[in-house]
Amino acid sequence: MPTCGGKRIRWVMHFALPFPFPSRKCVEERIEIDSRSFEFSIHNHLDRVYITRSSGVPLVVLVDKSRKTEAPSSKHSVTQTREHLQSVAVYREMEEYDSPQHAFADADKKVIACCRHLSDYLSRVHRSLPYRVAWLVYPVSLFDVGTVHHGLEHLCAKSRNWTIFACGVTINLARLMYKPLFYFDLALEHLPPELDTSNELLAEALISLNRGLNRLTTLNSYAAVESLANSVFKKKRKEQLIAQGKTPEEAEKIAERDRKRNRTKPKFLLHSGLQAMDGRSLLQENKKRYDQLLELYNLRNMVAHAGTVPTDQEARSGHTLCCEVVRWLAEVGGMPIRPMMPEKSGVSGFAVQSRDHFATPAALINFLRKLMDSIKT
């Protein structure tokens, strides 16, 4: 508990943004996330200061850029390290708690929920900006950062001000790796353009998924399947026509005509049309996956034409499904098949290293080591 005797405690989190926010005034809103009330704000005038003592976890506080960092105190072995921020998003929970344990409960879920809200908010800002400058603000999430700071503030019984008295961190280990999780043969293949397009769409969909952009995930994932299905059908139709005695020019013209007529029909491209050309059918070879793709097709149409926002699970499962269907289409079309996962024997162990400025203080390095040790055990 706070030493001053204060008993009103709130949870607070802040997230440094990698760009200055284009607003003359600070953003300040009252929001609801997962049935919890938060005060949400974005500021351009704040820096982050790490107050490190000889023992214990450092305090991380936000201060005005005009405030100078205090000189080290030899009496109390206190040092302060400033991190200059471009802008910072702050989430302050409105519910008050009577103990640190209750305030920190479910902190992991609150961090994830707030980061999801931030990604959605920045995505809306991104879409509303003038077209030629929209790249200056973009959605960011836990996928993009190494560390998110959160902590507890209390209403001091003496000063009557809300003051930080306990801090914690949420670490995205994947963004802090300094050794690869796997190795890849960099003798890159020269893929057919149609397969390369699908692979690029799926790669972009995965990045969107990790940033919480579920609509882009769904649109790009399904587009990867539809694009390759069109190419495979046309290839097989052209081969059939040439085998029937058509010239390559005639076969190209007829195959392109048939493709255009059916370019958005998954039942034709993955079942009846392809089966008539090559005897292959996703319905017959994997009915479950075929039915799931038809459901995704309907969801994709709702996203594209009605603005529906897929759930996290719909976006994630849809992306995995489309990866598998693209692999099947590549095999049908006689193209290289991209693996779903790297070789398991690639790398043993998992090594991370913080890149943030606060990693300099020995106290916090020791704290992070303790966290890693607790994960191992």
Side-chain angles (χ1 to χ4, degrees), residues 202-269:
L202 290 172
E204 285 298 313
L206 186 57
I207 292 176
S208 298
L209 177 64
N210 283 298
R211 285 181 168 167
L213 305 178
N214 293 343
R215 284 187 293 203
L216 283 179
T217 301
T218 301
L219 291 173
N220 284 335
S221 295
Y222 186 80
V225 171
E226 188 173 77
S227 173
L228 189 58
N230 271 262
S231 297
V232 171
F233 168 78
K234 180 179 177 180
K235 178 183 178 181
K236 293 298 179 180
R237 177 60 170 150
K238 188 175 177 179
E239 291 174 354
Q240 183 190 54
L241 291 167
I242 291 175
Q244 292 173 352
K246 300 291 185 180
T247 66
E249 292 76 15
E250 292 173 328
E252 170 69 24
K253 185 176 181 180
I254 296 172
E256 177 62 13
R257 181 199 64 193
D258 292 346
R259 183 200 67 79
K260 283 186 176 181
R261 288 175 177 172
N262 301 282
R263 63 183 181 274
T264 60
K265 301 176 182 177
K267 293 181 179 180
F268 180 88
L269 294 171

